[in-house]
């Protein structure tokens, strides 16, 4: 996937941000999905995966915007970790526990 494809997916994720989810969180989640997708495609080419795992991964080799909300939540969990780290480093305003990210 090219950088322009990644940028297009992040832009699409921002455009379709569900209510209650911040654009930063959604953009980071889309980037996380792109990272996982590239990594998993590389692993799948170089290693023998179980048929179950290979099928599960192939189902998710789609754009972030096409994922189910359940799958997006997995990527959002990593986005939350990045946001928390940025806040701890003073690069974002403090985020209250349970506040919208």
């Amino acid at each position: 996937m090219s950088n322009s494809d990644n940028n297009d997916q992040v832009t699409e994720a921002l455009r379709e941000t569900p209510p209650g989810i911040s654009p930063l969180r959604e953009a980071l989640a889309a980037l996380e999905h792109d990272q996982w997708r590239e990594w998993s495609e590389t692993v799948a080419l170089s290693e023998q995966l179980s048929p179950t795992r290979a099928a599960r991964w192939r189902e998710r080799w789609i754009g972030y915007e096409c994922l189910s909300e359940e799958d997006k939540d997995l990527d959002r969990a990593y986005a939350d970790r990045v946001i928390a780290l940025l806040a701890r480093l003073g690069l974002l305003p403090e985020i209250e526990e349970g506040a919208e990210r």
Side-chain angles (χ1 to χ4, degrees), residues 3-97:
N3 283 339
S4 65
D5 289 341
N6 286 344
N7 290 340
D8 291 345
Q9 287 193 8
V10 170
T11 300
E12 184 65 25
L14 289 172
R15 186 177 302 119
E16 300 199 7
T17 301
I21 297 178
S22 79
L24 175 61
R25 184 181 192 217
E26 202 67 354
L28 288 171
L31 285 172
E32 171 56 29
H33 180 68
D34 289 343
Q35 183 279 140
W36 171 83
R37 184 175 165 182
E38 290 180 22
W39 170 83
S40 63
E41 288 173 344
T42 301
V43 169
L45 290 172
S46 64
E47 297 183 17
Q48 181 68 33
L49 301 177
S50 72
T52 302
R53 176 172 286 177
R56 189 174 62 239
W57 283 10
R58 273 193 300 276
E59 290 174 0
R60 289 169 178 84
W61 288 343
I62 58 177
Y64 178 79
E65 69 282 355
C66 297
L67 292 172
S68 68
E69 286 301 309
E70 183 178 327
D71 284 335
K72 286 181 180 181
D73 283 343
L74 297 172
D75 293 317
R76 289 172 182 144
Y78 278 90
D80 291 344
R81 293 169 66 179
V82 172
I83 290 168
L85 173 64
L86 293 173
R88 278 196 308 274
L89 294 173
L91 299 172
L92 289 177
E94 286 299 315
I95 299 170
E96 293 181 27
E97 191 65 31

